Amino acid sequence: MKAIVQNEYGTTDILRLTDLPEPEAGPDGVVVRIRAAGVDPGTWHLMEGTPYLVRLMGFGFRRPKARVRGLDFAGVVHAVGGNVTEFRAGDEVFGTCQGSFAEYALTTVDKIARKPERLGFAEAAAVPISAFTALHAVRDRGGVAPRQKVLVIGAGGGVGTYAVQIAKAFGAKVDGVCGTGKVEFVRSLGAETVFDYTREEFGGGYDLIIDTAGNRPLNLLRKSLTPQGTLVIVGGESGGKWLGPVGRNLRALLLGPFVKHRLRGLFSTENRDDLETLRALIEAGKLNPVVDRTYSLAEVPDAIRHVSEGHTRGKVVITV
């Protein structure tokens, strides 16, 4: 099979399109024929091995343990192990795996669900990682409730587009922050007021702030919360080579016990129950993925460079 491979940490120059053996299902595995794969900022970080903390978290200290990048996908079941009963060859599925920038990938039943009928493969591949993150930020860490006032910073990006829609689906009043070129786009997602960060600052009185941009000080964000409001730090590109966006999470964790605000970081994980929740929201028409642009498998380096620039509208997708 064809796959995008990296044998060392570095920039997109180290990525190579090459041939690898097709994966085998084993007793409990599911081999999927990849039709589309999502690209998120985490792809860039794992490719570079930065912040260096990710290397200490088991991804490989000197070189990446996993040679093929890519986590989320949509495709068709190619083969299943003998212990797998929930899926069979030919089923259209979406979810996560280790190495979706390839023609075939190995995953497990707890990481996949049937592809929403409303979506094509490219749209479905844009869902898992970013929508998982948004769901966990809004519902689990943010504890969103109907009629609450919610602000999503970075509302036009991969996670932000889902956070706006999910908060809206849970009955909240949602505002967004984005750049000039995305204002009308974010409004079309359901945001009531959209702030162009190049021209204006957002106000206050928010019960929940989801910050996906990562470049505002915690004390500035806290001023926009209600006295007992919640701030969820999702990510960002600040913090240096060692901690990266994790640094803001740690600062929020350390400050939390001394203030009335609930300051929370986020380390999202994938699971089938939440994938089914996202699937139900999609089928109900409450959650719609946005594909900024698509690239071929051979164009993965270009796709990752585009995402790293931070100006995507929704998600970038690789079609295979």
Side-chain angles (χ1 to χ4, degrees):
M1 68 173 186
K2 296 291 184 182
I4 294 290
V5 172
Q6 70 169 108
N7 295 312
E8 58 186 314
Y9 289 121
T11 67
T12 53
D13 294 335
I14 54 94
L15 300 176
R16 296 288 183 269
L17 179 64
T18 188
D19 290 303
L20 292 179
E22 291 182 15
E24 297 181 359
D28 301 305
V30 178
V31 176
V32 177
R33 172 66 170 94
I34 303 295
R35 297 289 300 275
V39 184
D40 61 88
T43 305
W44 174 271
H45 290 297
L46 292 178
M47 178 191 69
E48 281 199 328
T50 58
Y52 298 135
L53 180 63
V54 305
R55 305 190 189 197
L56 302 177
M57 294 171 62
F59 290 97
F61 186 72
R62 294 185 178 276
R63 60 183 59 86
K65 289 183 178 180
R67 298 174 64 203
V68 183
R69 294 274 65 82
L71 295 174
D72 41 7
F73 75 89
V76 179
V77 173
H78 178 68
V80 299
N83 296 335
V84 176
T85 59
E86 296 95 325
F87 301 95
R88 62 182 180 180
D91 288 343
E92 296 182 350
V93 295
F94 77 134
T96 59
C97 66
Q98 185 60 257
S100 60
F101 297 163
E103 292 180 321
Y104 294 89
L106 176 64
T107 186
T108 51
V109 294
D110 60 323
K111 303 283 189 181
I112 60 175
R114 298 189 185 279
K115 181 178 72 66
E117 294 183 3
R118 295 181 63 244
L119 303 184
F121 287 107
E123 294 174 307
V127 174
I129 293 296
S130 293
F132 273 135
T133 303
L135 179 66
H136 296 160
V138 173
R139 182 194 65 186
D140 302 335
R141 302 299 287 163
V144 72
R147 294 180 295 279
Q148 281 190 331
K149 189 177 179 183
V150 176
L151 180 70
V152 178
I153 302 174
V159 175
T161 56
Y162 290 116
V164 169
Q165 295 178 80
I166 290 171
K168 194 80 173 178
F170 278 76
K173 175 187 179 297
V174 187
D175 293 343
V177 180
C178 63
T180 306
K182 298 181 183 179
V183 170
E184 291 305 319
F185 164 65
V186 171
R187 189 171 286 118
S188 73
L189 297 173
E192 298 187 21
T193 302
V194 182
F195 300 94
D196 178 353
Y197 71 82
T198 68
R199 300 178 179 178
E200 58 189 330
E201 284 296 330
F202 47 86
Y206 289 102
D207 301 291
L208 170 62
I209 296 177
I210 307 293
D211 183 11
T212 75
N215 55 11
R216 290 175 175 81
L218 294 180
N219 63 343
L220 177 63
L221 295 171
R222 287 179 54 219
K223 290 179 181 179
S224 294
L225 287 170
T226 59
Q228 294 184 326
T230 301
L231 169 65
V232 180
I233 303 294
V234 174
E237 298 306 316
S238 60
K241 289 284 189 178
W242 283 97
L243 294 179
V246 177
R248 296 180 79 233
N249 286 340
L250 293 177
R251 287 194 293 274
L253 182 65
L254 292 172
L255 180 62
F258 304 100
V259 298
K260 291 183 178 180
H261 293 137
R262 290 182 288 272
L263 308 181
R264 295 174 174 171
L266 177 70
F267 298 94
S268 183
T269 57
E270 313 98 61
N271 64 82
R272 188 173 175 183
D273 287 343
D274 287 341
L275 195 59
E276 291 289 358
T277 296
L278 295 171
R279 181 174 178 269
L281 288 171
I282 292 167
E283 297 290 29
K286 296 181 179 180
L287 189 65
N288 296 292
V290 178
V291 176
D292 177 78
R293 62 181 69 179
T294 62
Y295 293 82
S296 70
L297 188 60
E299 295 173 320
V300 163
D302 294 329
I304 295 176
R305 281 192 291 268
H306 177 64
V307 171
S308 72
E309 293 169 357
H311 302 301
T312 58
R313 182 176 298 194
K315 289 294 293 286
V316 167
V317 172
I318 306 301
T319 55
V320 183

